[in-house]
């Protein structure tokens, strides 16, 4: 388990701040999903997850597909929040104390059941989007013009830093691609052409998957759709064939490299579907059936849909139901969220199943995928060795 590696990493963290080397992962352990036993019965995480979901109530399944957030560093408040059974929690700036020991208290409080810890996520791209101020590793602004090996080194160190913080998921790999400096995603993209971005996305994915679950975002790609999805629904008329030849390339590379999660953006490719990809069954079908992604599909922050000002997306509960129905396995809610929002979303999912508007099988499948990843993360040990090339920037 990653938590068991903390004593080894604690000393290393101090050395990277002093511009020395952070301990980084050696060769990855055999994935738990290939047959490692979770419960001692000889079943792998996927089978064990299916077994657990079959015994859960609809309400428990609904809570399990929600990644919530409350802005506090109070361990007691965080623990009480997570006792409601949420599948995950995202760490934002308001959850990050300046002291490392206090940060461990925060992430530790989120784990209500050590046998089935939640997914603890963070947006740690480095550079422009960074929650951990100790991350001095090179980021997209410089990596896009440097050798691919530099991306691998930077994300090896970054992944280790995130794991040391107690997180098990990094929403840190931007697979969008654009050569337009005026695009809001330009500074965060890892390449200015599809193949260059693909090479770096694959390197970042491989490096991180050794110690945590990495995420590709923002599918199917912001590069072709002008505008910022934090307060609008960017759109493009780009055809599916053109997408396959261009914007899809980095996502395919990341999927092939083993990314655990795929984050769907609030943007529309109108030639494919007029709905935002995050709510589009067609885009989820493409990811599963055409690209072969078999991991956890997660929405971008559903609060961003509300911020678009479009009346259709005003209700976070309706957005959550639509997102799960479209094919997402995990719904993320941050902006505009209160301590009660996640519970309201869970209740809405239950009501949708009871009314027949959300198939029970779809909710169960989503819960199973999320629980599988949770079990994989809790069962996979981290193996660390010295990594001299993982030097911070500067």
């Amino acid at each position: 388990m990653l938590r068991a590696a903390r004593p080894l990493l604690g000393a290393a963290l101090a050395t990277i701040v002093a511009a020395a080397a952070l301990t980084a992962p050696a060769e990855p352990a055999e994935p738990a999903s290939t047959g490692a036993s979770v419960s001692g019965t000889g079943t792998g995480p996927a089978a064990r997850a299916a077994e657990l979901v079959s015994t859960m109530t609809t309400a428990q399944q609904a809570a399990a597909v929600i990644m919530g957030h409350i802005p506090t560093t109070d361990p007691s408040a965080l623990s009480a929040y997570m006792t409601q059974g949420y599948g995950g929690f995202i760490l934002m700036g308001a959850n990050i104390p300046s002291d490392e020991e206090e940060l461990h208290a925060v992430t530790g409080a989120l784990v209500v059941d050590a046998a089935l810890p939640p997914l603890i996520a963070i947006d740690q791209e480095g550079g422009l989007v960074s929650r951990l101020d100790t991350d001095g590793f090179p980021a997209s602004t410089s990596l896009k013009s440097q050798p691919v090996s530099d991306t691998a080194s930077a994300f090896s160190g970054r992944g280790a830093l995130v794991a040391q913080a107690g997180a098990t998921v990094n929403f840190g790999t931007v697979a969008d691609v654009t050569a337009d400096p005026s695009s809001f995603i330009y500074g965060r993209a890892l390449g200015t052409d599809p193949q260059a971005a693909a090479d770096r996305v694959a390197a970042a994915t491989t490096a991180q998957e050794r110690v945590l679950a990495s995420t590709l975002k923002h599918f199917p790609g912001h590069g072709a759709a002008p505008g910022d999805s934090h307060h609008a629904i960017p759109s493009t008329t780009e055809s599916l064939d053109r997408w396959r030849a261009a914007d899809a390339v980095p996502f395919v590379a990341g999927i092939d490299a083993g990314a655990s999660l795929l984050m769907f953006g609030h943007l529309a490719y109108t030639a494919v579907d007029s709905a935002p990809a995050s709510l589009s069954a067609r885009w989820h079908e493409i990811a599963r059936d055409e690209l072969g992604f078999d991991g956890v599909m997660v929405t971008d922050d559903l609060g961003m849909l509300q911020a678009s000002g479009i009346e259709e997306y005003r209700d976070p509960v309706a957005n959550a139901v639509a997102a799960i129905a479209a094919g997402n396995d995990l719904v993320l809610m941050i902006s505009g969220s209160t301590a009660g929002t996640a519970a309201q979303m869970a209740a809405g999912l239950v009501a949708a199943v009871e009314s027949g508007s959300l198939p029970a099988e779809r909710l169960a499948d989503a819960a199973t995928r999320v629980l599988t990843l949770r079990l994989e993360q809790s069962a996979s040990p981290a193996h660390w060795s010295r990594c001299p090339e993982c030097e911070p920037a500067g």
Side-chain angles (χ1 to χ4, degrees), residues 148-178:
V148 175
S149 59
D150 288 1
T151 297
S153 295
F155 277 89
S156 285
R158 182 162 292 122
L161 191 69
V162 169
Q164 159 67 15
T168 53
V169 173
N170 189 17
F171 291 152
T173 310
V174 175
D176 310 88
V177 56
T178 181

Side-chain angles (χ1 to χ4, degrees), residues 161-368:
L161 191 69
V162 169
Q164 159 67 15
T168 53
V169 173
N170 189 17
F171 291 152
T173 310
V174 175
D176 310 88
V177 56
T178 181
D180 180 5
S182 68
S183 169
F184 93 99
I185 205 67
Y186 177 83
R188 298 163 59 191
L190 287 167
T192 56
D193 68 78
Q195 192 56 55
D199 292 343
R200 289 163 179 79
V201 165
T205 299
T206 300
Q208 293 175 90
E209 284 289 334
R210 293 170 175 173
V211 293
L212 49 72
S214 70
T215 309
L216 305 173
K217 63 184 187 183
H218 309 79
F219 188 80
H222 271 297
D228 187 341
S229 60
H230 289 87
H231 48 72
I233 306 296
S235 67
T236 176
T237 59
E238 180 173 287
S239 70
L240 186 57
D241 284 342
R242 173 58 185 163
W243 173 80
R244 290 184 178 114
D247 296 89
V249 176
F251 288 100
V252 171
I255 289 170
D256 289 346
S260 295
L261 298 98
L262 182 63
M263 178 179 283
F264 282 68
H266 306 310
L267 62 153
Y269 280 62
T270 57
V272 180
D273 192 336
S274 61
S278 54
L279 304 181
S280 167
R282 176 63 179 131
W283 277 114
H284 288 77
E285 178 184 68
I286 289 170
R288 287 280 189 231
D289 299 341
E290 185 172 326
L291 273 57
F293 181 71
D294 196 39
V296 170
M297 295 181 172
V298 58
T299 68
D300 203 345
D301 175 16
L302 290 180
M304 294 162 60
L305 283 176
Q306 292 175 272
S308 71
I310 298 174
E311 181 65 21
E312 183 180 357
Y313 308 129
R314 183 178 59 84
D315 182 1
V317 174
N319 292 338
V321 172
I324 295 295
N328 290 287
D329 306 305
L330 190 63
V331 291
L332 175 65
M333 183 70 188
I334 309 168
S335 179
S337 179
T338 69
T341 302
Q344 294 165 6
M345 293 167 65
L349 289 168
V350 171
V353 169
E354 291 177 344
S355 71
S357 60
L358 175 64
E361 295 79 8
R362 171 78 276 272
L363 178 61
D365 176 66
T368 301

